[in-house]
Amino acid sequence: MSGRIRIVGGSLRNSRLDVPGLPGLRPTPERVRETLFNWLAPMIEGARVLDLCAGTGALGIEALSRGAASACFVEPEARAARAVRDNLRRLKAMGGEVAATDAQGFLRGTARPFDLAFLDPPFALNLWGALAQGLEQGGWLAAQAWVYVESPRDVAPTLPASWSLHREGHAGEVRFALYRRALPLS
């Protein structure tokens, strides 16, 4: 393991996550996670969470720490997926499952609706639009789901029209935004 990051709040507050030293692994900064979970505070309890490009798993583990019912971590890199599993086990974080596959492959599987999805793909791969469409069209989001999107500050990802911006912020060269899925009444 090459580093550690801290869980900011909830039952696992101040717990450390072991983070493997992998090229391109970019944990969401503590300050950003704290802001995001302040925004999510009213709805996180009991939520079904999808950490689609898990990396360190910090976003999903933070959600479990703050009362989410479950979190599915999707991570194709074997060492990163193993680190997420090990952190979940060591912290006794119940409700976490790890899918060791890539996000696009995962989204081609059998869908189940999530209340909250974290969309933070490796920046160099430019997958925001494809993954957002997969989430939206594949049955992965509950009707009023929340979607967190992290991207470079100067990138405006193309997202589904049914996602409306709730809040956004910037930290250094990163833009972070929370969207609410709002389907038209039929």
Side-chain angles (χ1 to χ4, degrees):
M1 292 296 147
S2 74
R4 301 188 95 174
I5 57 176
R6 182 177 71 93
I7 296 298
V8 178
S11 64
L12 301 173
R13 183 184 178 124
N14 291 324
S15 296
R16 301 288 176 172
L17 302 180
D18 293 324
V19 177
L22 297 169
L25 193 61
R26 182 192 37 77
T28 299
E30 281 185 24
R31 188 178 72 146
V32 172
R33 281 186 282 122
E34 185 169 14
T35 299
L36 169 64
F37 282 94
N38 285 340
W39 295 347
L40 292 171
M43 60 73 53
I44 197 71
E45 187 71 34
R48 298 162 298 172
V49 175
L50 176 62
D51 195 344
L52 188 56
C53 301
T56 66
L59 290 171
I61 293 173
E62 189 83 49
L64 289 172
S65 177
R66 292 170 184 253
S70 63
C72 179
F73 300 85
V74 179
E75 177 52 52
E77 207 296 325
R79 285 177 33 208
R82 185 171 44 254
V84 173
R85 274 192 206 97
D86 291 348
N87 283 321
L88 288 167
R89 185 173 33 256
R90 182 175 50 77
L91 297 173
K92 297 177 177 64
M94 304 305 294
E97 66 172 291
V98 178
T101 186
D102 70 276
Q104 290 176 303
F106 179 83
L107 293 177
R108 287 191 291 273
T110 303
R112 61 186 192 265
F114 289 94
D115 304 305
L116 170 61
F118 297 119
L119 181 55
D120 179 16
F123 286 4
L125 298 181
N126 193 20
L127 292 173
W128 295 278
L131 294 178
Q133 288 304 319
L135 284 168
E136 181 63 31
Q137 296 170 355
W140 293 99
L141 299 174
Q144 297 293 310
W146 295 90
V147 183
Y148 169 76
V149 179
E150 193 170 307
S151 62
R153 187 180 191 118
D154 59 348
V155 171
T158 302
L159 302 173
S162 58
W163 295 11
S164 88
L165 181 64
H166 177 68
R167 302 208 46 189
E168 70 179 318
H170 298 92
E173 294 303 311
V174 173
R175 174 186 180 264
F176 56 99
L178 184 62
Y179 294 85
R180 181 76 187 261
R181 183 178 192 232
L183 296 179
L185 298 174
S186 44

